[in-house]
Amino acid sequence: MKIQNVAIVGGTHGNEFTGSYLAKFWQKNPKLIKRIGFETKVVFANQKAFKNVSRYIDRDLNRACSLTDINNPNKNSHEDKLARELNSKLGPKDDKDKNCDFVIDLHTTTANMGLSLVVSDESELTWLSVSYLAKEFEELKVYRWLGDEEDGYVNSLGSAGFAIEVGAIPQGVLRADLYLKTQELVYKLLDFFEKFEELKDSVKREVSIYDHVALVDYPRDINSKLTAMVHKNRQDRNFQKIKKGEPIFMTFDGKTINYEGKEELYTLFINEAAYYEKGFAMCLAKKIEHKF
Ligand SMILES: [Zn+2]
């Protein structure tokens, strides 16, 4: 497990300003992310979407990085081309000898997720990093999610990595507190990599995580139009339990729809703006102790 190349990716989603402005700031101030023993590069993933203040131009770049899509010559949208460029910078994904040992992909969410990591990778380096950060940041929450389109994440191009998600923050908006939190988390991770040989054996090989179970869509009519919204009692309650019989949605005429699942699970990414089009209102997860 050798760390030689680390990449910080910002602007994967053009309307998520925290990562976009941090990436631009670090491109101008590379000394701040320089550490002994490895190289750190900053990649601004989607300039065109950033200028447009939109998540993407043609398709979601953070779902476009599967091997099937990268190797499909008929995929030629703006983001398909970006995914291929990113693959040569950070991957290649199907090559053991990759250009990047760890990818930190910076995101924000309109859901009240606080400071969280989305992990979709099983590598030892990823989990050592997650466990280390969880100890350093008491409020940090970890969500293991294989995604709605498996393995299409930008951070899946490198050997290890994860996405940082901070919120709640509207699209196209900066918030100093979340900007600083993201920055602090990245610096802490780079410091960990710098002292990796010294610290790795002391990292606990167990970490509390929220493990993905299911996606819950909004109630819709036969034309797929929304017929309800997230219930006020569920709004903002990320990483909190939901029990059978508790309100989950409210119809436009004010009727409550209750959660009918038998299992007590935790709700995450509640009311994330970008997920209306993806067809889910929240994610359900179970809390487990993940050993690695
Ligand atoms: Zn994002």
Side-chain angles (χ1 to χ4, degrees), residues 73-219:
N74 299 320
K75 292 262 179 192
N76 274 311
S77 73
H78 176 64
E79 278 77 16
D80 287 314
K81 287 177 194 157
L82 289 182
R84 266 180 221 120
E85 279 170 30
L86 284 172
N87 187 43
S88 22
K89 274 185 202 155
L90 311 174
K93 190 164 174 166
D94 53 358
D95 196 330
K96 258 180 129 181
D97 190 20
K98 294 185 176 52
N99 287 316
C100 192
D101 304 305
F102 203 100
V103 177
I104 311 163
D105 193 19
L106 309 178
H107 291 260
T108 61
T109 167
T110 63
N112 183 33
M113 292 281 282
L115 181 65
S116 60
L117 301 178
V118 177
V119 187
S120 50
D121 174 301
E122 293 304 318
S123 83
E124 195 181 9
L125 180 57
T126 297
W127 285 103
L128 284 170
S129 308
V130 169
S131 178
Y132 178 79
L133 291 170
K135 195 170 158 255
E136 295 292 314
F137 294 84
E138 214 183 314
E139 77 270 41
L140 184 72
K141 299 278 198 294
V142 182
Y143 179 30
R144 181 165 69 172
W145 189 25
L146 293 175
D148 45 349
E149 285 161 55
E150 202 168 328
D151 230 10
Y153 293 136
V154 165
N155 60 263
S156 73
L157 296 171
S159 302
F162 50 57
I164 301 176
E165 285 279 2
V166 294
I169 187 166
Q171 297 175 335
V173 168
L174 279 161
R175 269 184 68 137
D177 54 350
L178 296 177
Y179 178 95
L180 289 172
K181 265 292 167 218
T182 305
Q183 193 175 48
E184 202 190 332
L185 194 85
V186 170
Y187 290 157
K188 195 59 91 176
L189 182 59
L190 295 176
D191 294 344
F192 174 61
F193 290 156
E194 187 173 51
K195 292 190 179 150
F196 187 69
E197 286 307 316
E198 189 184 314
L199 294 173
K200 66 176 184 192
D201 295 330
S202 61
V203 176
K204 207 174 158 195
R205 286 180 168 265
E206 187 177 339
V207 61
S208 283
I209 66 165
Y210 295 82
D211 209 16
H212 178 77
V213 172
L215 301 173
V216 181
D217 193 11
Y218 293 93

Side-chain angles (χ1 to χ4, degrees), residues 12-13 15-16 55 62 106-108 165:
T12 295
H13 292 136
N15 57 5
E16 296 178 6
R55 185 172 172 93
N62 208 32
L106 309 178
H107 291 260
T108 61
E165 285 279 2

Side-chain angles (χ1 to χ4, degrees), residues 109 111-113 116-119 141-145 165 209-216 218 230 234 236-242 248 265-272 275 280-287:
T109 167
N112 183 33
M113 292 281 282
S116 60
L117 301 178
V118 177
V119 187
K141 299 278 198 294
V142 182
Y143 179 30
R144 181 165 69 172
W145 189 25
E165 285 279 2
I209 66 165
Y210 295 82
D211 209 16
H212 178 77
V213 172
L215 301 173
V216 181
Y218 293 93
V230 171
R234 185 45 46 184
D236 298 331
R237 288 177 60 195
N238 297 284
F239 304 104
Q240 292 188 33
K241 255 186 204 163
I242 187 162
I248 184 165
L265 296 168
Y266 292 77
T267 48
L268 282 81
F269 277 114
I270 300 165
N271 214 355
E272 156 59 43
Y275 297 161
F280 58 96
M282 66 191 73
C283 309
L284 296 174
K286 58 184 166 197
K287 198 176 179 185

